[in-house]
Every structure is written in structure tokens, then in C-alpha cells.
């Protein structure tokens, strides 16, 4: 069973969406959602909940969670929602850098081959990749429900590309 960590800033929208979508579609993956700068124990906003609901996805009981050493130590992949999150992992959890990638780059670059996931991730040489602006999933924070729904749809579409390759 592969271990995935979905990472955003506050663990209140994007990473919650990614984790909840994966849990809805795949029960063979272990999923943790976390943030880089979190006030722990906070529920997701109603906008995140409603945006997920529009996709038929639930994240009942979610509480915000700060990324920890133990999370990255067991992760096969740390899936970041923006370049700043990749940078955070490289600074704070450097041993996880070879397994940390933005969701957009993962959707573009992960090989769907028959070798195991660890080998396919290693082939991406993620610790050396220069993260580019196009890789960010825009943060809907501060927006209204339409921005949250657009974000959830974008993450859902990217995961539709990634999940068959995991």
C-alpha cells in the first residue's frame, strides 16, 4: 500500500480536497493531509466542504494538521499543491525532497509503467527539479464558493490523471 501525503499551507482547502478525493476513489492508498503553517485542530471551511460535496466527496471529521517528520519518513510521495510547499519540504524535511512533487508536475511527468512506484518516482529526480510557476494549484483562500469549487474540480481532474498511474 502506497503512502501519500497531500500538502498545502493551512491544511484547510487544497490538501484536504486532494486527500478526500483520493480516499473516495482508492481504498488501497494510505493518505495523510497536512499543511506547512497550520493552526492545528481547525475544521475545514464550509466552502471546502461544499466544493467537495459538489463532487460527491466528503471529508467528515477533518481537522487541520501540521506536517511532521514521521509523515514524510513513511511517505512514498509528498504531493504538494504549490511550489512553495516543495520548497518548504526541501528546507525542513530535506530527506523527503526526492519524493516531493507538485500535483501538476506529477500529473505531467509520472510514468504509468509497470515498475514499482518507488522506482518511477526516483526516475523523476525530484530533489533536483526546479519548480516552476505553472505548477501551482491556486489557493482559493479568501475567495467565495465558486473559487473553491473551481479548485476542487482542478484537483479532481489532476488526480484523475495521476491515480491510474499509482
Amino acid at each position: 500500500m502506497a503512502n501519500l501525503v497531500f500538502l498545502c499551507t493551512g491544511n484547510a482547502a487544497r490538501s484536504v480536497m486532494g486527500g478526500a478525493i483520493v480516499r473516495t476513489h482508492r481504498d488501497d492508498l494510505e493518505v495523510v493531509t497536512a499543511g506547512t503553517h497550520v493552526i492545528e485542530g481547525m475544521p475545514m471551511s464550509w466552502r471546502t466542504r461544499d466544493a467537495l460535496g459538489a463532487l460527491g466527496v466528503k471529508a467528515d471529521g477533518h481537522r487541520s494538521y501540521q506536517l511532521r517528520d514521521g509523515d514524510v519518513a513513511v511517505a512514498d510521495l509528498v504531493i504538494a499543491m504549490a511550489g512553495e510547499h516543495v520548497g518548504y519540504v526541501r528546507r525542513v524535511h530535506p530527506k523527503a525532497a526526492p519524493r516531493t512533487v507538485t500535483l501538476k508536475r506529477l500529473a505531467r511527468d509520472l510514468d504509468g509503467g509497470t515498475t514499482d512506484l518507488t522506482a518511477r518516482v526516483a526516475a523523476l529526480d525530484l530533489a533536483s527539479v526546479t519548480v516552476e510557476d505553472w505548477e501551482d494549484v491556486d489557493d482559493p483562500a479568501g475567495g467565495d464558493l465558486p473559487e473553491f469549487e473551481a479548485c476542487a474540480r482542478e484537483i479532481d481532474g489532476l488526480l484523475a490523471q495521476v491515480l491510474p498511474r499509482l
Side-chain angles (χ1 to χ4, degrees):
M1 177 178 294
N3 289 292
L4 308 178
V5 173
F6 282 87
L7 186 63
C8 69
T9 306
N11 190 221
R14 294 171 291 175
S15 60
V16 178
M17 292 173 184
I21 291 165
V22 169
R23 287 182 187 118
T24 296
H25 296 292
R26 298 279 297 268
D27 60 6
D28 63 328
L29 299 170
E30 188 69 34
V31 176
V32 170
T33 70
T36 59
H37 301 290
V38 172
I39 299 172
E40 288 207 337
M42 300 300 293
M44 74 183 109
S45 75
W46 68 267
R47 291 172 184 91
T48 301
R49 184 195 65 232
D50 288 359
L52 286 170
L55 298 174
V57 173
K58 292 183 179 183
D60 294 336
H62 171 78
R63 293 290 181 264
S64 56
Y65 177 78
Q66 177 69 36
L67 184 68
R68 291 180 171 75
D69 291 338
D71 302 319
V72 296
V74 299
D76 296 297
L77 268 176
V78 177
I79 301 172
M81 293 296 162
E84 68 185 277
H85 308 127
V86 172
Y88 174 88
V89 171
R90 288 177 177 176
R91 284 187 316 276
V92 179
H93 305 281
K95 290 182 182 178
R99 296 172 278 118
T100 302
V101 61
T102 63
L103 178 57
K104 285 186 177 180
R105 184 174 294 271
L106 189 65
R108 187 190 78 176
D109 293 352
L110 183 65
D111 181 358
T114 57
T115 59
D116 75 325
L117 180 61
T118 302
R120 290 182 286 132
V121 169
L124 297 175
D125 193 25
L126 296 172
S128 301
V129 168
T130 300
V131 180
E132 301 175 39
D133 291 341
W134 64 265
E135 297 184 61
D136 291 358
V137 172
D138 289 334
D139 189 352
D144 288 320
L145 184 57
E147 286 80 18
F148 280 74
E149 290 173 331
C151 182
R153 285 190 307 271
E154 179 179 18
I155 291 169
D156 187 51
L158 291 164
L159 286 170
Q161 297 172 54
V162 169
L163 287 176
R165 296 184 244 162
L166 296 179

